[in-house]
């Protein structure tokens, strides 16, 4: 990837040395329209002089016609037409008819077809685009006048005209010119229309381009567009600032592969093929990948998303990579987690002491009313302790597990036994389908918590009289991989909608129904559970239907996570 370049657009045509006729000044356009006739006239006069020099001596018409056209050509180039009403430049083609008449009268015996010189003013009038009907009529009348001129002028007796076999010519030529003029006029009008449409769509696209550029440049989000060969096509202001943060200290500029890019932890460098822009160039479409850019105090966390672009033939044509600075958000999350961890820790010590003393007090011989008070205090203190423990777990690093050989069946059975009293209290049927033994490599404390959390949720969120079923089985590995342990906890409880299911593993999320029913909870249990399962290299899936029930499925590799945090002997 090369360094930044702003949006590029093709240079306008004139910048490349060529101009459209319409882009010239009106004076030049009038001159250029007259020039073909002037050049043809020069050629005609030369031809006449070469073929029959006597013509110039015998009659002044050749000189008059030639001089007239040359004078009109000078006039065309000299008059500032743009300061006059547009239609005034018609004077030139109209006077051209007047000059052509003596020219053709003088030279018509030497050069055949001289009358066709009228085509020049006819076309000019027609493609001027002004008053089409008037232009055509004037062209017709001009041609007719020129065609008939020799026959009505004194130089050619009418008897001669009648003797000429070409008497049809003065009749035909004006009509021929009229048709050609009409064709030219129609063509000009349709071209004008097309040009206007083209100009309008060009204006629209230019204004859209300006709008897009303003949006892109105003955006706080870094935007980078790279073509299929890895060259930057566009890099906005925000992205240029981010690029600067990622540059190695002391460097003036850096290519993408030289930038200091790290994983979200801010210290692990991201390998070349795994860098976001490189992956985006492999046609990858991804959202919200967190990376760290730069080092030390200036390091920033970015959320990166990329979408490939395709051309009309559906071939990869480059990619758009968007970088959002999430440093403040990451700092806020970290601060919140630290705060929660510290506060929960501070709560735990006095709470444990309260419970201990309540326990001691309850062992005494007490007045029944006092015992009831103490029992209530004990229950609430225990609830508070479990809440604080959840908060601590959520703030703790759930990604580290300490694995050992564990009998998952025994671990699950133990959780079931602890849950039996609660299930009976709600008149729930608690069923299980467990093997006698299930050896696996796992963290017994964390897996115990996973089963406890899911089981306690199933009981808590199932109305009285329902049922909860727990099963554990082995799933054979695929593609030569190791076996999996699958734990399924199914209930006939409240269930949830698909939208609720999507947010289930978010910290502090609780479904509306549960919040309204004031069922106690923190909304942290499932987030923690998911963290523990993932730390084992596993996954947790949920199927649920509102009003019918939910099924939570946990799968972990039997042989433990691929990268073990630590293994206790
Ligand atoms: P808590 O149970 O403390 O509220 P969790 O993270 O364990 O927190 O659960 C989050 C939310 O998910 C619960 O508040 C509840 O709305 C919903 N939920 C969890 N398990 C179930 C279940 N088995 N059936 C229905 N809803 C459930």
């Amino acid at each position: 990837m090369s360094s930044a370049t702003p949006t590029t657009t093709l240079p306008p045509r004139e910048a490349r040395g060529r101009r459209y006729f319409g882009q010239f000044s009106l004076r030049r356009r009038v001159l250029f329209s007259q020039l073909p006739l002037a050049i043809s006239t020069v050629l005609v006069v030369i031809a006449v002089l070469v073929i029959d020099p006597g013509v110039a001596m015998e009659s002044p018409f050749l000189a008059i016609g030639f001089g007239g056209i040359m004078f009109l050509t000078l006039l065309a180039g000299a008059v500032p037409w743009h300061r006059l009403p547009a239609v005034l430049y018609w004077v030139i083609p109209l006077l051209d008819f007047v000059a052509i008449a003596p020219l053709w009268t003088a030279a018509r015996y030497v050069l055949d077809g001289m009358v066709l010189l009228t085509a020049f003013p006819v076309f000019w009038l027609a493609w001027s685009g002004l008053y089409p009907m008037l232009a055509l009529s004037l062209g017709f009348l001009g041609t007719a006048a020129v065609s008939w001129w020799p026959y009505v002028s004194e130089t050619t007796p009418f008897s001669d005209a009648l003797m000429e076999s070409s008497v049809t010519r003065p009749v035909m030529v004006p009509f021929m010119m009229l048709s050609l003029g009409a064709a030219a006029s129609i063509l000009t009008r349709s071209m004008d229309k097309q040009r206007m449409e083209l100009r309008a769509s060009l204006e629209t696209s230019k204004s859209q381009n300006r709008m897009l550029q303003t949006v892109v440049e105003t955006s706080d989000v870094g935007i980078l567009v790279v073509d299929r060969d890895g060259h930057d096509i566009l890099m906005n202001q925000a992205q240029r600032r981010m690029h600067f943060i990622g540059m190695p200290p002391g460097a003036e500029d850096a290519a993408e592969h030289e930038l200091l890019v790290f994983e979200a932890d801010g210290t692990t460098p991201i390998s070349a093929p795994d860098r976001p822009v490189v992956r985006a160039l492999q046609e990858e479409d991804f959202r919200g990948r967190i990376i760290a850019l730069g080092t030390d105090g200036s390091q920033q966390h970015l959320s990166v998303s990329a979408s490939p672009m395709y051309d009309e033939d559906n071939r990869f044509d480059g990619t758009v990579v968007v970088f959002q600075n999430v440093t403040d958000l990451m700092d806020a999350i970290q601060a919140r987690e630290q705060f929660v961890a510290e506060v929960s820790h501070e709560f735990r010590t006095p709470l444990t002491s309260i419970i201990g003393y309540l326990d001691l007090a309850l062992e005494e011989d007490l007045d029944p009313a006092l015992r009831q008070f103490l029992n209530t205090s004990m229950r609430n203190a225990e609830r508070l302790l479990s809440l604080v423990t959840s908060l601590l777990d959520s703030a703790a690093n759930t990604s580290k597990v300490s694995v050992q050989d564990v009998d998952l069946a025994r671990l699950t059975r133990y959780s079931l036994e602890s849950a039996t009293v609660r299930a009976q209290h709600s008149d729930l049927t608690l069923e299980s389908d467990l093997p006698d033994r299930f050896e696996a490599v796992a963290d017994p404390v964390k897996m115990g918590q996973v089963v406890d959390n899911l089981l306690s949720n199933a009981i808590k969120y199932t109305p009285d009289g329902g049922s909860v079923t727990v099963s554990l089985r082995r799933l054979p590995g695929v593609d030569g991989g190791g076996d999996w342990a699958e734990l399924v906890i199914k209930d006939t409880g409240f269930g949830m909608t698909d939208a609720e299911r999507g947010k289930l593993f978010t910290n502090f999320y609780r479904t509306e129904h549960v919040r309204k029913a004031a069922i106690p909870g923190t909304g942290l249990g499932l987030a923690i559970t998911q963290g523990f399962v993932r730390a084992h290299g596993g996954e947790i899936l949920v199927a649920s239907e509102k009003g019918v029930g939910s099924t939570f499925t946990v799968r972990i590799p039997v042989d433990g996570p691929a990268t073990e945090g630590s293994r206790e002997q």
Side-chain angles (χ1 to χ4, degrees), residues 56-349:
M57 307 297 143
E58 282 162 20
S59 140
F61 285 145
L62 191 70
I64 292 170
F66 177 73
I69 286 173
M70 291 306 125
F71 171 74
L72 289 172
T73 308
L74 284 178
L75 204 64
V79 175
W81 299 106
H82 58 281
R83 295 209 197 121
L84 305 172
V87 76
L88 259 196
Y89 73 78
W90 272 14
V91 166
I92 304 284
L94 292 177
L95 289 178
D96 277 340
F97 287 117
V98 179
I100 290 169
L103 196 68
W104 114 267
T105 308
R108 70 197 168 103
Y109 292 119
V110 183
L111 286 178
D112 206 18
M114 282 283 295
V115 75
L116 292 181
L117 283 178
T118 53
F120 291 106
V122 165
F123 275 116
W124 186 359
L125 286 172
W127 73 51
S128 72
L130 302 170
Y131 314 108
M133 292 313 285
L134 184 63
L136 285 180
S137 313
L138 290 175
F140 174 77
L141 292 175
T143 313
V146 172
S147 308
W148 282 98
W149 168 260
Y151 307 106
V152 294
S153 73
E154 290 175 355
T155 50
T156 311
F158 206 65
S159 53
D160 280 11
L162 291 179
M163 279 162 60
E164 279 188 49
S165 59
S166 60
V167 74
T168 48
R169 190 188 300 164
V171 180
M172 288 309 294
V173 167
F175 285 104
M176 216 171 75
M177 288 300 163
L178 182 66
S179 338
L180 288 176
S185 175
I186 290 167
L187 202 71
T188 308
R189 289 182 72 182
S190 81
M191 272 166 56
D192 274 353
K193 196 164 161 253
Q194 270 182 11
R195 206 171 32 226
M196 268 154 60
E197 284 171 359
L198 214 67
R199 193 174 296 158
S201 74
L202 194 71
E203 260 318 305
T204 316
S205 101
K206 271 186 186 167
S207 92
Q208 280 177 349
N209 199 16
R210 278 194 298 271
M211 189 180 75
L212 199 71
Q213 263 191 333
T214 313
V215 171
V216 165
E217 284 304 329
T218 320
S219 165
D220 277 346
V221 173
I223 300 171
L224 176 69
V225 183
V226 188
D227 70 13
R228 68 169 85 98
D229 301 318
H231 299 119
D232 296 356
I233 302 174
L234 181 150
M235 188 191 264
N236 72 345
Q237 186 72 30
Q239 180 54 19
R240 279 195 281 277
R241 281 198 297 271
M242 290 185 198
H243 187 89
F244 186 74
I245 293 168
M247 281 187 339
E252 299 234 315
D253 195 4
E256 202 280 333
H257 67 271
E258 293 166 326
L259 296 180
L260 304 170
V261 185
F262 302 93
E263 295 287 1
D265 63 11
T267 50
T268 316
I270 301 185
S271 63
D274 197 29
R275 293 164 82 100
V277 177
V278 178
R279 283 180 50 179
L281 278 167
Q282 306 297 318
E283 282 186 56
E284 273 193 44
D285 188 334
F286 56 87
R287 300 275 172 275
R289 177 174 176 198
I290 304 290
I291 60 161
L293 197 63
T295 49
D296 305 330
S298 64
Q299 190 173 66
Q300 301 285 304
H301 277 88
L302 309 177
S303 165
V304 193
S305 303
S307 286
M309 299 183 293
Y310 295 95
D311 64 13
E312 280 174 3
D313 301 324
N314 212 21
R315 278 181 317 209
F316 178 62
D317 200 26
T319 182
V320 179
V321 194
V322 174
F323 300 80
Q324 189 175 5
N325 196 327
V326 290
T327 313
D328 290 347
L329 190 69
M330 296 285 282
D331 288 349
I333 291 174
Q334 209 175 356
R336 190 192 70 184
E337 281 176 359
Q338 203 172 341
F339 173 78
V340 170
E342 278 169 17
V343 170
S344 334
H345 189 76
E346 292 305 315
F347 273 132
R348 222 149 90 123
T349 322

Side-chain angles (χ1 to χ4, degrees), residues 390 453-462 468 489-496 500-501 503-515 519-529 542-545 549-552:
S390 290
N453 277 347
L454 295 178
L455 202 53
S456 95
N457 275 353
I459 293 171
K460 209 160 49 158
Y461 302 124
T462 300
V468 174
I489 298 180
K490 186 173 170 22
D491 64 56
T492 59
F494 306 133
M496 63 198 90
E500 290 173 331
R501 196 162 52 88
K503 299 181 206 152
L504 217 52
F505 297 101
T506 313
N507 274 347
F508 304 107
Y509 177 75
R510 311 200 71 216
T511 60
E512 198 187 349
H513 177 89
V514 164
R515 273 186 280 119
I519 302 174
T522 57
L524 287 167
L526 284 180
I528 297 166
T529 304
V542 190
S544 188
E545 196 176 331
S550 312
T551 304
F552 285 76

Side-chain angles (χ1 to χ4, degrees), residues 21 115 211 255 320 394 397 412 476 518 552 566:
F21 184 70
V115 75
M211 189 180 75
V320 179
S394 88
N397 190 348
T412 311
F552 285 76
S566 68

